[in-house]
Amino acid sequence: ETTAPEMSLEEWQAWLSGAPSPDEDSWQAFAALPEEQRDQLLNLQRAEVLQAVRTSPPAALPLANCLVHASRGTDAWGGLAPRTLGVALHFNGRSQEAVEHFSVALAWYEEHDEQLEAARVQRSLVDVYQMSGNSERALEVAAAARTTFEARGERTLLAQLECNVGNVHFRLDRYGAAREHYE
């Protein structure tokens, strides 16, 4: 049995942020951490990925890959880790690759009957599909997300979705339809 070395939360976070190579002993030690501490570190890592996406997208990729690796074996991160990697890929102009990771996340949320989270992923997929050249699929996932947001009274998420749909129509030179969704 592997035991976690005596490292503080800050030291583990620095280790994760350094996007370590997959040294099995270190990863086994990380996996041996108490679930609460490991989850806290995964949340910190995810926050770092999302910050990097906004400030330095290339730096987000190794952090997101590390998050996916670090989350292995934790069922609670089955949707969130690939979703975060999808975000990092999309913001680095790799939308086709991002589709794959968002699709994994979507399938996980649907399998676990987390409809709202599935709809949030679909909201993101509208832009990802558009940027990967699949406008029709973008509009299909938008329709599915719209149904969930409307049924749950999620006005803010619905407004964000409609902006994404408006962008799809705008890029297709369907200005009247774009205006309707923006309104």
Side-chain angles (χ1 to χ4, degrees):
E1 180 177 311
T2 304
T3 58
E6 294 298 320
M7 287 177 44
S8 69
L9 188 65
E10 293 79 18
E11 289 170 322
W12 274 113
Q13 184 181 8
W15 180 78
L16 283 174
S17 296
S21 63
D23 164 11
E24 275 313 305
D25 290 337
S26 298
W27 283 114
Q28 287 178 2
F30 179 80
L33 290 171
E35 184 178 339
E36 183 179 301
Q37 187 178 13
R38 191 171 171 206
D39 193 53
Q40 186 177 8
L41 286 162
L42 291 171
N43 278 311
L44 290 169
Q45 183 73 4
R46 181 173 185 272
E48 193 166 341
V49 171
L50 298 178
Q51 178 62 34
V53 161
R54 290 186 291 276
T55 59
S56 177
L61 285 172
L63 295 170
N65 280 312
C66 182
L67 174 68
V68 169
H69 191 83
S71 69
R72 289 186 180 146
T74 60
D75 191 47
W77 283 81
L80 197 52
R83 181 177 173 183
T84 304
L85 179 54
V87 169
L89 287 164
H90 181 56
F91 275 82
N92 276 279
R94 295 166 58 180
S95 296
Q96 190 61 45
E97 291 173 75
V99 166
E100 297 170 29
H101 296 282
F102 276 113
S103 296
V104 168
L106 178 60
W108 189 91
Y109 288 125
E110 288 175 339
E111 179 182 319
H112 288 81
D113 198 31
E114 293 191 30
Q115 295 173 1
L116 184 58
E117 290 307 311
R120 287 175 189 238
V121 171
Q122 290 167 324
R123 176 199 59 190
S124 297
L125 272 168
V126 171
D127 190 51
V128 175
Y129 276 125
Q130 169 63 32
M131 297 306 289
S132 65
N134 195 342
S135 300
E136 293 310 311
R137 184 70 181 127
L139 296 174
E140 289 170 11
V141 297
R146 184 178 296 110
T147 299
T148 300
F149 293 153
E150 287 175 344
R152 293 177 176 256
E154 293 287 345
R155 295 172 43 95
T156 301
L157 294 173
L158 184 59
Q160 293 168 347
L161 174 68
E162 295 303 342
C163 285
N164 286 353
V165 173
N167 292 342
V168 171
H169 287 291
F170 184 82
R171 290 180 184 130
L172 293 172
D173 297 331
R174 299 176 189 164
Y175 302 115
R179 186 185 69 238
E180 289 175 22
H181 288 279
Y182 290 144
E183 288 175 354

